[in-house]
Amino acid sequence: MDVLYDIVCTINSYLSNYVLIILLVGTGLFFTIRTKFVQVRCFGEGFKRMLGTVSLNGEKKHGSMSSFQALTTAIAAQVGTGNIVGACGAIFIGGPGAIFWMWVIAFLGMATNYAEAVLAQKTKIVDEDGEVHGGPVYYIRALFKGAGGKFLAGFFSVAIILALGFMGCMVQSNSIASTMETAFAIPAWVVGIVVVVVAGFIFIGGVQRIASVTEKLVPVMAVIYLIGGIVVLVMNAPHVGEAFALIFQCAFNPDASIGGVTFGIIAALSQGAKRGLFSNEAGMGSTPHAHALADVKDPHDQGVVAIVAVFIDTFVVVSITALVVISVLYTGDGALAQGAYEGIDKTNMAQLAFGQFFGSTFGNAFVAICLLFFAFSTIVSWNLFAKINVEYLFGKKAVPAFSVIALVFIFLGSILSNDLVWELADLFNQLMVLPNAIALIGLSGLVAGCANAHTRKTRKLEAKDE
C-alpha cells in the first residue's frame, strides 16, 4: 500500500503541477476569450434564470429534469467534501494563497462549465424509453466519428466510473464517517451502513428520485452552512481583513511563512488547481451529465445556469470555509499562526475553526452535519453520472451490478484511511480532464456560436424596445 501510495502521489504531482494547470487555465482562458467573457456578460441572466425556476417540489419528468433540478444535481456534485475538507487540505499544504488560485480556476471554469452544459444539451439523445442521455461521451463521439472517438469516449467512461462511482464516493463516505465519529462518537462502520442503506434507496428510484432529493437538499444545506460561516466571521470580524491579506500575500510571495512553515507559489498554485478541480469540477466532465438532463428550449439557457453553479460552489461556499479557517487558525493567536501543527490536519481544521466560537461540541457537530449533507448529496449525484457511463459502455443490464459494487465501495470508504483514497480520486479526476478538454476545444465553434447568437438576439430585442 505504501508503494502504491508513493506511485500515485508521483503521478499526481506531475498531472497537477503541469498538465492540469495548463489544461484548466488554458481551456478556461480559451473559452473566456472565445465567448467574449460569457461568465461576466451572462452572469446576471444565469442568476435570474436560476431564481425564476426555484422549486423545492418540481415537476417530475420521465427520464429528464427541470432546469432547477439539473442545477441542484450539478451543485450537489460540486458542493461536497472538496468545499470543506478539500479547501482545508489546499490551505494546509499550499497555504492560504491556494484559495486565490482556486478563485482563478473557478472564474475561468465558469466559462468552461458554460461550454460543457451547452455541448451536453446539443449532443444529448433520447432513447426508445423516453430517457435522456448526455454528457462528454456523446460530444466526444460527435467530434470524433471513428475509432479514435470510440477510444476517447471509452477512456473517459472508465475514468469517471472509477473516479466518481467508486473512488470519489469512498472519499465522501470517509469524510462523513470521520467527522461523525469525531462529533458524536458514532463508530465509522455504523455510519457507513446508514449511508449505504439511504443511498441504495435513492439509487433505486433513478433520475426522478435523485432530482427530487437534490432540489430539496441542496438549497437547505447551503443556507445552513452559509449562515453558520457568516456568524463566525462576524464574531471574528477583526481578523477577517487579515485573512484576505494572507490569501493574496501567500499567492504571490515565494517565501510566505506562517507559523514556521514556508508556502511557495508553486505549492499554492498546484493545490489551488487540484482542489479547485475537485471542488467546482469545471472541465472535469462530471456536471454535463446533469445539465444534459435539463428540459430547456435553448442550450444557452442551461449554459448560463451552469455558470452560476461554479460561482456558488467556489466563490460562496469555498470562500466561507477558507475565511473561517484562515481567520481563526492562521491569524492572531490562532494555533497554526503559532506553529502548533500537532493534532491538526485537513479533516479536522474546519471543526477546530468553528469550535473556536461555537464551542468544541457544537462546532464539531455543526461541521459534521453540514459535511454529511454535502458529501451525501455528492454521492447521489456522482453515482448518477457514473451510472450513465456504465450504461453507455455495457448497457442497462449492467446498472444493477454497478450499483451494488458502488455501495460496497461507499461502505469501505467509511472505514478505511483516506490518504490513498484521496490520491486515487485525484488521479482519476485528472485523467477525466484529458479527453473532455480535447472535445471541448474541438467543438468550441458550437459553443461560441451559441453564446454569440444569444448576444445578437438580445441586442435585436433591445433595439426593438428602443
Side-chain angles (χ1 to χ4, degrees), residues 23 84 211 226 232 253 260 275 280 344 384 404 422-423 457:
L23 275 178
I84 299 180
L226 293 180
V232 170
N253 185 350
R275 294 301 165 210
N280 64 59
I344 299 178
L384 172 63
V404 171
W422 270 93
E423 291 296 333
K457 181 180 177 181

Side-chain angles (χ1 to χ4, degrees), residues 26-42:
T27 304
L29 186 60
F30 176 77
F31 278 108
T32 296
I33 296 171
R34 192 80 198 269
T35 61
K36 301 175 182 177
F37 285 82
V38 68
Q39 69 268 54
V40 177
R41 294 189 297 108
C42 297

Side-chain angles (χ1 to χ4, degrees), residues 102-142:
M102 288 184 77
W103 289 339
V104 171
I105 293 295
F107 176 76
L108 297 176
M110 290 163 74
T112 306
N113 217 33
Y114 172 85
E116 289 180 306
V118 166
L119 290 177
Q121 277 286 321
K122 282 184 171 291
T123 59
K124 67 182 181 181
I125 63 172
V126 181
D127 65 19
E128 63 275 8
D129 297 326
E131 292 188 3
V132 177
H133 301 272
V137 292
Y138 294 94
Y139 54 72
I140 289 172
R141 295 301 301 272

Side-chain angles (χ1 to χ4, degrees), residues 90-412:
I91 296 168
F92 193 72
I93 299 172
I99 299 302
F100 173 83
W101 297 111
M102 288 184 77
W103 289 339
V104 171
I105 293 295
F107 176 76
L108 297 176
M110 290 163 74
T112 306
N113 217 33
Y114 172 85
E116 289 180 306
V118 166
L119 290 177
Q121 277 286 321
K122 282 184 171 291
T123 59
K124 67 182 181 181
I125 63 172
V126 181
D127 65 19
E128 63 275 8
D129 297 326
E131 292 188 3
V132 177
H133 301 272
V137 292
Y138 294 94
Y139 54 72
I140 289 172
R141 295 301 301 272
L143 176 62
F144 300 105
K145 303 294 185 182
K150 188 174 182 179
F151 170 78
L152 284 177
F155 179 89
F156 176 88
S157 289
V158 171
I160 194 172
I161 292 168
L162 293 173
L164 305 189
F166 298 146
M167 302 301 173
C169 286
M170 289 181 73
V171 167
Q172 305 297 331
S173 63
N174 187 277
S175 297
I176 292 173
S178 62
T179 53
M180 294 297 285
E181 190 167 24
T182 299
F184 305 109
I186 303 175
W189 66 269
V190 174
V191 176
I193 290 175
V194 173
V195 171
V196 165
V197 171
V198 179
F201 172 75
I202 297 173
F203 294 169
I204 293 172
V207 171
Q208 286 74 32
R209 188 171 294 170
I210 290 172
S212 180
V213 169
T214 58
E215 71 179 353
K216 298 174 180 62
L217 185 59
V218 169
V220 173
M221 74 182 191
V223 169
I224 292 174
Y225 185 68
L226 293 180
I227 290 174
I230 291 171
V231 168
V232 170
L233 293 179
V234 170
M235 295 173 70
N236 195 35
H239 294 290
V240 174
E242 187 179 348
F244 267 112
L246 279 176
I247 290 173
F248 288 93
Q249 175 188 341
C250 294
F252 298 101
N253 185 350
D255 299 317
S257 180
I258 303 174
V261 177
T262 300
F263 300 102
I265 295 176
I266 297 299
L269 180 55
S270 171
Q271 288 298 313
K274 184 161 62 175
R275 294 301 165 210
L277 171 66
F278 192 81
S279 174
N280 64 59
E281 301 184 23
M284 193 167 81
S286 55
T287 58
H289 297 91
H291 294 302
L293 298 175
D295 185 12
V296 294
K297 295 180 180 179
D298 187 340
H300 172 83
D301 295 342
Q302 195 61 26
V304 295
V305 169
I307 290 172
V308 178
V310 177
F311 178 84
I312 292 173
D313 172 86
T314 304
F315 288 100
V316 178
V317 181
V318 166
S319 294
I320 286 291
T321 301
L323 290 174
V324 167
V325 168
I326 296 171
S327 65
V328 174
L329 299 180
Y330 283 89
T331 66
D333 296 328
L336 300 182
Q338 304 302 317
Y341 281 80
E342 186 175 353
I344 299 178
D345 57 35
K346 64 186 179 185
T347 61
N348 66 3
M349 286 174 69
Q351 289 178 312
L352 291 172
F354 278 95
Q356 192 81 14
F357 290 90
F358 289 168
S360 177
T361 301
F362 183 74
N364 286 344
F366 176 80
V367 174
I369 292 171
C370 288
L371 190 61
L372 169 64
F373 286 131
F374 284 10
F376 184 77
S377 66
T378 299
I379 288 173
V380 170
S381 293
W382 278 2
N383 181 267
L384 172 63
F385 302 162
K387 189 182 298 180
I388 291 171
N389 286 272
V390 167
E391 191 170 331
Y392 168 79
L393 285 177
F394 308 111
K396 290 184 179 181
K397 292 182 178 179
V399 170
F402 160 75
S403 297
V404 171
I405 297 171
L407 291 172
V408 171
F409 271 83
I410 291 170
F411 177 74
L412 290 176

